[in-house]
Amino acid sequence: MLEITSIKQGIVIDHIKAGQGVKLFNLLNLDKADFTVALIMNAESEKMGKKDIIKIEKNIDVNLDVLALFGKQITANIIKDEEIVEKVEIKLPQTIENALTCKNPRCISNHERHVKTEFQLINEEKQQYTCVYCDHLYDLEEI
C-alpha cells in the first residue's frame, strides 16, 4: 500500500471527488508551482470509497471559491509543524470570477479579452449559477 506522509507546513485539500483532483490542481495553477505539491488520486476513503487529495508544502493563498466548485465535501486544512491548525469552511460563493468559462459560445466573455467571466449563484441547493452577461445557466455538476 502507498504511504501518504504528512507535510510540515502548508495546505491539504482533502475529500476531492475521485478524478476531479487534476482539474482542481490545474485551476489553482499548481502545475506552475516552484514548491513541493502532491496530487494523490484514488486514495482509499471510508466515507467516499475513493478520493483525491492535494498537498501543498507552502502556505499560499488558495482561491476558496474554486474549491467550493468541486463540492461541499471538500476540506482545506492549514498545517503547521505537521499539525492541523485551522480547518477552513468551504461555502459556495455568491459570485465566481475568472474561474469558469461560459458554455454559451456566443457569450461576450468568450470573445472579448478584457471581459472577465462572472457568474452569480441563483440556486444554492442545486448548485446553479448564471452568467452575468448572457444568463446561461451553469450547473456545477458540469465540471
Side-chain angles (χ1 to χ4, degrees):
M1 185 167 145
L2 175 68
E3 183 179 340
I4 301 170
T5 60
S6 63
I7 61 174
K8 292 186 188 323
Q9 180 169 294
I11 302 168
V12 175
I13 303 168
D14 200 356
H15 303 103
I16 305 165
K17 188 174 166 183
Q20 297 292 306
V22 172
K23 290 179 184 178
L24 181 54
F25 189 88
N26 291 330
L27 221 69
L28 294 172
N29 293 317
L30 294 173
D31 55 326
K32 297 171 180 64
D34 61 352
F35 44 86
T36 303
V37 180
L39 170 60
I40 299 127
M41 298 180 68
N42 297 314
E44 295 292 325
S45 169
E46 286 183 25
K47 291 181 184 177
M48 302 174 69
K50 299 268 186 193
K51 67 179 179 178
D52 293 351
I53 305 167
I54 297 174
K55 292 187 174 192
I56 304 165
E57 184 98 35
K58 184 175 184 178
N59 283 324
I60 62 169
D61 284 333
V62 173
N63 185 343
L64 297 179
D65 292 351
V66 171
L67 296 183
L69 302 179
F70 287 83
K72 297 180 208 176
Q73 77 286 351
I74 288 185
T75 58
N77 298 313
I78 310 301
I79 310 296
K80 187 172 185 179
D81 298 324
E82 295 186 25
E83 297 288 330
I84 297 172
V85 294
E86 181 183 356
K87 286 186 177 256
V88 181
E89 185 178 348
I90 307 298
K91 295 185 206 174
L92 285 176
Q94 291 299 311
T95 302
I96 301 171
E97 294 180 350
N98 291 327
L100 301 173
T101 303
C102 185
K103 301 285 186 188
N104 179 356
R106 298 185 333 183
C107 181
I108 190 170
S109 67
N110 289 320
H111 299 288
E112 300 290 330
R113 282 188 280 174
H114 69 282
V115 176
K116 64 183 177 185
T117 61
E118 187 175 345
F119 295 84
Q120 292 291 322
L121 182 64
I122 59 167
N123 188 323
E124 188 169 357
E125 187 177 315
K126 292 183 180 179
Q127 297 185 338
Q128 292 178 325
Y129 286 83
T130 187
C131 176
V132 298
Y133 302 109
C134 71
D135 293 326
H136 180 77
L137 185 66
Y138 194 98
D139 188 336
L140 290 186
E141 291 297 315
E142 295 176 31
I143 292 181

